């Protein structure tokens, strides 16, 4: 294992390329356990990184990666050389969200996720692209928002909530 001393910003309150945002203050970091990640969200290739030294600075959460250099022998050098220079939270478990317009900021076209945690945080070349964050999930691993084609919206799932109300917080019924 090789620890890379470069800090990565894992998340902040800004709007991502999908039009929604994840509030850092709603991140349940203790539930990001184990704090692992893949390379480009490719789980089938194995765990590439373990995150350590979490640090909060305002709304930005930073961490340092420990690289699985046995299975990814060149990854640490590629990070140090700047070829992989970003992190991307993945398999996001949404515990609470709001589509209240008062919570939206400039550039936001979709919901504000107010309580959440990731199951992984990958090393990526470009964060927030179509290959980065694949989907949003509820606590039971049911897909809430498929971002792979960037066409669906959590708001389109409102009718499905009545059928699966146990998967959503009561305030959204």
């Amino acid at each position: 294992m090789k620890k890379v001393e470069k800090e990565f910003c894992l998340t902040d309150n800004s709007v991502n390329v999908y039009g929604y945002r994840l509030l850092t203050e709603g991140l349940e970091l203790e539930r990001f356990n184990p704090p692992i990640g893949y390379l480009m969200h490719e789980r089938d290739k194995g765990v590439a990184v373990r995150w350590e030294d979490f640090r909060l600075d305002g709304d930005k959460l930073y961490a340092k990666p420990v690289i699985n250099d046995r299975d990814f022998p060149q990854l640490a050098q590629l990070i140090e050389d700047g070829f992989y220079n970003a992190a991307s939270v993945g398999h996001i478990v949404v515990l609470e969200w709001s589509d209240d317009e008062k919570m939206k900021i400039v550039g936001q076209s979709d919901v504000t996720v107010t309580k959440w945690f990731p199951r992984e945080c990958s090393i990526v070349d470009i964060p927030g692209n179509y290959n980065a964050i694949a989907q949003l999930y509820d606590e039971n691993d049911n897909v809430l928002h498929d971002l792979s084609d960037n066409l669906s919206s959590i708001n389109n799932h409102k009718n499905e909530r009545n059928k699966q109300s146990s998967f959503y917080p009561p305030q959204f019924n």
Side-chain angles (χ1 to χ4, degrees), residues 33-50:
N33 190 15
I36 54 99
Y38 310 114
L39 180 58
M40 301 294 294
H41 296 289
E42 294 184 25
R43 183 179 188 192
D44 293 342
K45 293 186 178 179
V47 174
V49 63
R50 178 182 71 238

Side-chain angles (χ1 to χ4, degrees), residues 17-118:
V17 297
Y18 304 107
Y20 72 91
R21 63 193 188 114
L22 302 164
L23 296 183
T24 304
E25 55 269 25
L27 169 61
E28 294 190 355
L29 189 58
E30 69 281 357
R31 293 182 74 177
F32 179 28
N33 190 15
I36 54 99
Y38 310 114
L39 180 58
M40 301 294 294
H41 296 289
E42 294 184 25
R43 183 179 188 192
D44 293 342
K45 293 186 178 179
V47 174
V49 63
R50 178 182 71 238
W51 295 99
E52 293 184 350
D53 301 336
F54 291 94
R55 179 178 68 85
L56 193 60
D57 183 7
D59 71 339
K60 295 182 184 329
L61 177 67
Y62 295 94
K64 293 179 181 177
V66 176
I67 306 300
N68 170 0
D69 58 357
R70 186 192 71 201
D71 295 334
F72 298 87
Q74 299 171 337
L75 183 56
Q77 189 63 51
L78 289 169
I79 290 170
E80 289 167 357
D81 291 344
F83 289 98
Y84 289 105
N85 58 8
S88 177
V89 292
H91 200 114
I92 299 165
V93 178
V94 176
L95 303 171
E96 296 177 9
W97 54 271
S98 174
D99 57 4
D100 185 344
E101 292 296 320
K102 294 176 188 168
M103 294 190 77
K104 291 184 178 178
I105 62 175
V106 174
Q108 185 174 351
S109 59
D110 213 329
V111 300
T112 302
V113 178
T114 57
K115 191 173 179 185
W116 64 283
F117 67 93

Side-chain angles (χ1 to χ4, degrees), residues 94-95 97 136-145 154 156-173:
V94 176
L95 303 171
W97 54 271
L136 299 179
Y137 298 84
D138 69 12
E139 286 186 277
N140 299 311
D141 279 343
N142 296 296
V143 174
L144 290 176
H145 191 64
I154 290 176
N156 291 339
H157 292 279
K158 285 181 181 178
N159 293 333
E160 293 176 26
R161 274 189 276 185
N162 294 330
K163 297 176 195 169
Q164 303 173 350
S165 61
S166 63
F167 302 140
Y168 296 88
Q171 66 263 35
F172 300 116
N173 288 331

